[in-house]
Amino acid sequence: GPSMKCAEQDLLLYAVTDRHWLNGRSLRDVVEESLRGGVTMLQLREKSLAEPAFLAEARELQALCRDYHVPFIVNDNVDIALAMDADGHVGQSDMEALDVRRKLGPDKIIGVSAQTVEQALLAEKHGADYLGVGAVFPTGSKDDADDVSYDTLQAICRAVSIPVVAIGGVTAQNLPPLAGTGI
């Protein structure tokens, strides 16, 4: 069955960082506010920070997450996830799961982005612990995000036995329509 290293309750309110919503505040402050507000898992997503700055920021946020007993996941940089002993990593392709698993070992949480049932099944087969499926709603934070339909989301949830997280433009207001999909 699914491993307990990534329990479904850890995925209930999964926050992904994004600098362009900070409005002059520090990422650390916004993350701490999110953790106080009930975030159950945190992914550090930085597309344009130089490695030393990324690592310093990652360590600071990891320490915060530990205080709140919330898993800390690094997006798209396996070497940093490994160097700092992050709780896990999220990759953008199903083949990544195999390589990441080899590097990070059996105890780490590995998430993979999927937009089709085929991608989802491959990611599961290659050792992903959960899937991020989206964008389920239009989003301003990812230029390359293609929308995933309600039917596809539902089909992916039915096809795999690992947890599925809906990503992209999710708000308190538009969450109700996703009920019943299996996310």
Side-chain angles (χ1 to χ4, degrees), residues 4-81:
M4 285 324 289
K5 69 187 157 203
C6 183
E8 286 194 9
Q9 60 263 30
D10 289 341
L11 295 166
L12 286 177
L13 188 55
Y14 184 167
V16 180
T17 66
D18 187 342
R19 283 190 171 276
H20 86 242
W21 300 109
L22 293 180
N23 295 321
R25 300 171 64 198
S26 77
L27 187 61
R28 188 196 183 284
D29 286 351
V30 173
V31 165
E32 180 149 35
E33 185 177 84
S34 303
L35 290 164
R36 277 202 307 268
V39 157
T40 57
M41 191 147 156
L42 185 84
Q43 179 192 133
L44 175 61
R45 184 174 188 275
E46 282 291 359
K47 291 300 183 187
S48 54
L49 212 55
E51 203 110 318
F54 186 106
L55 190 55
E57 179 181 270
R59 287 192 192 282
E60 183 178 44
L61 298 182
Q62 180 183 39
L64 254 184
C65 285
R66 282 191 174 146
D67 288 345
Y68 286 84
H69 308 289
V70 162
F72 176 74
I73 308 290
V74 172
N75 179 294
D76 235 16
N77 194 320
V78 189
D79 296 330
I80 279 186

Side-chain angles (χ1 to χ4, degrees), residues 137 150 153-154 174-183:
F137 298 111
Y150 182 94
L153 179 62
Q154 202 167 31
N174 63 21
L175 196 58
L178 296 176
T181 53
I183 59 158

Side-chain angles (χ1 to χ4, degrees), residues 148-176:
V148 171
S149 72
Y150 182 94
D151 289 345
T152 300
L153 179 62
Q154 202 167 31
I156 289 172
C157 290
R158 288 198 184 122
V160 298
S161 57
I162 54 177
V164 175
V165 178
I167 54 176
V170 179
T171 66
Q173 288 69 42
N174 63 21
L175 196 58

